[in-house]
Amino acid sequence: LTLRQDTLLSGKIAAELLSHFPGPVAIMIGNRRVVDHEEKLRGFRAEASRRGMTIAEVCEHEDDEALGYSLTCRLFQEHPEVRGVYVATDNFRGVFRGLKKQGEAGRAKVVATGLFPEIRAAMDLGLVHFSLDQRMAEQGEMAVHHLHDLLSGSRPKSPKILVPPRIAVRSNLDPPHSPLPEK
């Protein structure tokens, strides 16, 4: 039994989100040899092609913060026309620093991966516009339930369970607000 994030869908959603902002885009991934990253890249490319988007560059930063920083700075120096970036890995810190240094807040729309503190901080600064929540806690809970079912003799409906990402924007990260007062 396999239970994991639907990474192909994550890539497609990222491309769809960025398609609403005209201009070339770039993709920051850790390593193409990692199945998770390769599937996100494949999903992004498929949706980008379907929507007629231009991909200026795919940068592999090997999940290394310093390399992510230097590649982000180089990306915007060599491709100032880039208007969207998909960060298809949890390792965002170097890319975040590069975006801040290049003054890309608001100009380049960014789709990140995960809901880590640096992603939330980048949303507050206007550097990240969307993030694809991988729903890690839910994946863990689902795995425990499926393991219990298997040990109890239940057969899974499918040997492969793919968990779709949830789109996070700044407004849905805060605790729920109290209802508006009635007039």
Side-chain angles (χ1 to χ4, degrees):
L1 178 67
T2 302
L3 188 144
R4 65 183 181 89
Q5 179 192 13
D6 190 340
T7 49
L8 194 64
L9 180 60
S10 291
K12 288 178 179 182
I13 290 172
E16 181 174 351
L17 289 169
L18 291 176
S19 74
H20 297 283
F21 308 98
V25 297
I27 307 161
M28 306 296 286
I29 62 170
N31 185 314
R32 293 175 207 236
R33 294 178 303 279
V34 173
V35 172
D36 174 89
H37 300 181
E38 185 278 326
E39 283 186 352
K40 288 177 184 175
L41 179 59
R42 191 164 29 105
F44 188 96
R45 281 184 163 155
E47 188 65 21
S49 174
R50 192 176 82 71
R51 292 175 176 271
M53 297 168 67
T54 301
I55 298 174
E57 190 168 345
V58 175
C59 301
E60 285 182 83
H61 58 71
E62 302 294 331
D63 284 331
D64 176 88
E65 185 177 333
L67 185 56
Y69 171 77
S70 65
L71 286 174
T72 302
C73 291
R74 182 189 57 75
L75 170 70
F76 284 103
Q77 288 167 357
E78 293 179 7
H79 299 283
E81 74 279 8
V82 166
R83 293 293 181 258
V85 178
Y86 173 38
V87 185
T89 175
D90 292 342
N91 194 327
F92 179 74
R93 203 170 272 142
V95 175
F96 173 68
R97 284 185 24 241
L99 288 167
K100 275 179 37 179
K101 181 178 190 282
Q102 296 300 309
E104 293 305 317
R107 189 181 75 76
K109 302 303 180 200
V110 177
V111 176
T113 300
L115 288 180
F116 301 100
E118 52 268 356
I119 302 285
R120 290 172 181 255
M123 285 180 149
D124 288 340
L125 293 172
L127 289 168
V128 169
H129 304 84
F130 310 95
S131 193
L132 299 177
D133 179 8
Q134 298 177 90
R135 303 169 58 190
M136 300 304 264
E138 292 171 66
Q139 285 185 52
E141 188 176 317
M142 289 171 71
V144 169
H145 287 290
H146 284 288
L147 178 60
H148 175 268
D149 291 347
L150 284 170
L151 294 173
S152 299
S154 296
R155 305 283 301 150
K157 293 176 186 167
S158 170
K160 187 175 187 180
I161 300 166
L162 298 176
V163 179
R166 184 173 296 129
I167 300 170
V169 293
R170 187 65 200 103
S171 61
N172 70 0
L173 293 180
D174 291 327
H177 299 285
S178 59
L180 294 173
E182 292 187 31
K183 292 184 177 185

